[in-house]
Amino acid sequence: MKSASCGFSAPFPTIFIYCIRNPRPVKRGVPIRCDYAIEACIEIAQHICSAQGWGPPADNGDAMNVLGRHGVLTAELSDAMRKAVGFRNVLVHEYVEVSDAIVESRLSDLRDLKQDVEQVTAFLRDGPAARA
């Protein structure tokens, strides 16, 4: 069975868990490790889309849609991660003011991020043929 490793120098869970657990400074009153965790998922999604020849996604949220269309992520998780990308964009680009309480509530439930790690890791380990 061909692996879909996509050339990462460290296992995906290692990269992701570092981004979640590594303490980071505060940026404009908002913990930026939320940004780092979601950004790690975005970068890996973009890399998989490129390595698999699925064409460039229209934007970072679309990268999650592409992974859903190709069975890397479930449809439900693909949608949740697309929304997480949108939330990250609001935080990073400050489109609107977001209270620290909202950010903390999002960080208190990491199920979507953990599922992303599990499903992407399974794809990288087992390859695209196993997902068909």
Side-chain angles (χ1 to χ4, degrees):
M1 187 176 314
K2 184 178 177 185
S3 172
S5 70
C6 299
F8 291 112
S9 60
F12 174 65
T14 303
I15 295 167
F16 179 79
I17 290 181
Y18 174 82
C19 290
I20 289 183
R21 292 187 180 162
N22 190 34
R24 297 290 188 180
V26 172
K27 175 176 158 183
R28 293 182 215 80
V30 177
I32 61 173
R33 80 177 151 181
C34 179
D35 169 32
Y36 289 139
I38 296 168
E39 184 65 30
C41 294
I42 292 168
E43 290 180 16
I44 290 167
Q46 291 279 4
H47 192 89
I48 290 171
C49 291
S50 175
Q52 296 300 312
W54 295 335
D59 54 40
N60 290 334
D62 188 47
M64 300 305 172
N65 290 335
V66 172
L67 294 188
R69 281 195 304 272
H70 289 278
V72 177
L73 302 178
T74 64
E76 180 181 346
L77 183 59
S78 171
D79 185 56
M81 291 304 296
R82 183 187 53 75
K83 290 175 184 173
V85 169
F87 181 67
R88 177 225 167 252
N89 290 344
V90 168
L91 291 178
V92 171
H93 302 295
E94 298 180 320
Y95 297 134
V96 295
E97 188 173 324
V98 179
S99 75
D100 288 351
I102 292 172
V103 175
E104 289 173 18
S105 73
R106 296 280 179 115
L107 288 173
S108 69
D109 183 3
L110 299 175
R111 283 180 290 189
D112 292 339
L113 294 173
K114 289 176 182 179
Q115 286 178 355
D116 185 273
V117 170
E118 292 166 1
Q119 291 179 25
V120 169
T121 299
F123 173 79
L124 295 174
R125 180 189 61 232
D126 302 336
R131 309 295 279 177

